[in-house]
Amino acid sequence: MGTPKVSLRLTQGVALGSVALSELERCGLEPLAVVVRADDKLEWLPPESGVRGSRRTETCLTAHLGLSFSLRCGLNAVLPTEPDAVVVALADQPFITAGLVGRLIDTFRRSPDLDYVASRGDGTIMPPALFSKSLFPALQQLDGDRGAASILHSPVYKGAVIEGDSPLFSMDADTEGDFMKVRRQWLLRNDRNRDSADM
């Protein structure tokens, strides 16, 4: 797209990547590893929310080789804290919500024997997703640009899938055309919210 997609502007002062990150910070995830490319100028990062102040930026030198490399980089960053599970989310999904991530976490807390809890939108299983520590070795073995899709579709693992809380949540910005659709929906949603507030 000519520029890192996380830096693309939804509106003046609001970068694509900042929206999902702000929602994740509202969840109180600790630590919160933000995986970035080596050439990322980090101009898209929002100010830290102050919620438990646990954000850390991890530079992934192999991010250009595929999504699985970024995923492993983020996992390695949090492994020293010995988590029971990790939540994986993508910065180009601006319609994910803290509520959706909270539902993933609550589902896992109620059923800690699950290997994963994932979201579903438009009939597709996708991030954000929670992965139990039972899956950390499998996540470490991923390769290429498909991320954890092979795990989420494997009959080997026990998982739960929850529906997204909005038809928009599954929208992402893989292409310039995708970004234009996301931006259009973002502007429409904000106009509706503004109209509701004025009533």
Side-chain angles (χ1 to χ4, degrees), residues 5-29:
K5 62 182 175 181
V6 291
S7 298
L8 295 172
R9 299 288 162 176
L10 292 169
T11 57
Q12 183 65 31
V14 179
L16 174 65
S18 70
V19 180
L21 178 54
S22 294
E23 285 297 305
L24 291 169
E25 288 192 315
R26 289 181 52 213
C27 299
L29 301 173

Side-chain angles (χ1 to χ4, degrees), residues 109-120:
R109 284 181 175 152
R110 287 194 304 272
S111 303
D113 59 322
L114 290 172
D115 293 311
Y116 69 84
V117 185
S119 311
R120 178 168 43 217

Side-chain angles (χ1 to χ4, degrees), residues 10-11 182-192 194:
L10 292 169
T11 57
V182 166
R183 187 171 187 273
R184 189 163 41 251
Q185 288 298 329
W186 178 263
L187 294 171
L188 285 171
R189 189 185 76 165
N190 286 351
D191 285 345
R192 283 193 298 269
R194 210 172 9 255

Side-chain angles (χ1 to χ4, degrees), residues 85-156:
V86 295
V87 173
V88 175
L90 305 179
D92 68 345
Q93 286 184 294
F95 299 111
I96 68 169
T97 64
L100 174 58
V101 175
R103 287 166 58 209
L104 298 175
I105 295 169
D106 289 344
T107 300
F108 179 69
R109 284 181 175 152
R110 287 194 304 272
S111 303
D113 59 322
L114 290 172
D115 293 311
Y116 69 84
V117 185
S119 311
R120 178 168 43 217
D122 292 333
T124 303
I125 301 174
M126 60 179 49
L130 177 149
F131 297 96
S132 166
K133 64 182 177 183
S134 65
L135 280 179
F136 291 176
L139 292 172
Q140 293 280 16
Q141 298 300 314
L142 292 174
D143 197 15
D145 200 35
R146 291 201 62 221
S150 60
I151 290 174
L152 297 177
H153 293 95
S154 171
V156 173

